[in-house]
Amino acid sequence: MEHRWHIDNPLDCPLVLALNLIGGKWKPIVLHMLSTRTLRFGELKNMIAPVSQKVLTAQLRELEADGMLVRTVYAEVPPRVEYRLSARGASLVPVLNALYAWGQTAAKAP
């Protein structure tokens, strides 16, 4: 694969664009968790204990706005909201799995 270096405008680089979509302290782990199943907000919050509700909400909204996940609200009392990967988000799963595997190896390297 030939890479075109975007020296004239580095922000047009596909790598930069991709990292901007998934960049954020919690976005990669949220996407990775949603790669296996649909989750409710509370489940995500419990699985990522250090994240605040405000930050998780913001990250989920950004991922939804970027077309990476689908938010479904059910008209129930109390309201139920579920998150799942969109087709666009699902296309990222092999990349996330590769990053996960790389992280396992990199963590062991000196």
Side-chain angles (χ1 to χ4, degrees):
M1 170 193 286
E2 182 181 331
H3 297 281
R4 180 175 160 250
W5 303 110
H6 293 73
I7 296 169
D8 53 327
N9 186 358
L11 297 178
D12 281 342
C13 175
L15 179 61
V16 172
L17 297 171
L19 290 175
N20 283 338
L21 283 176
I22 64 168
K25 189 169 185 178
W26 305 108
K27 285 181 185 180
I29 192 69
V30 166
L31 291 167
H32 195 243
M33 289 175 172
L34 292 174
S35 72
T36 58
R37 63 188 171 116
T38 298
L39 293 167
R40 294 174 69 173
F41 182 88
E43 292 174 306
L44 284 166
K45 174 69 181 92
N46 290 336
M47 294 168 84
I48 314 170
V51 69
S52 71
Q53 183 170 333
K54 178 181 176 181
V55 170
L56 181 57
T57 298
Q59 300 263 289
L60 289 168
R61 284 182 181 159
E62 289 175 19
L63 288 167
E64 181 183 16
D66 290 334
M68 303 302 284
L69 59 82
V70 175
R71 178 180 184 260
T72 305
V73 181
Y74 295 92
E76 299 174 351
V77 177
R80 178 170 51 115
V81 180
E82 292 182 341
Y83 297 90
R84 65 177 172 80
L85 291 184
S86 64
R88 184 179 193 192
S91 71
L92 190 60
V93 171
V95 176
L96 293 171
N97 289 340
L99 284 169
Y100 183 90
W102 182 84
Q104 287 181 310
T105 303
K108 296 175 186 172

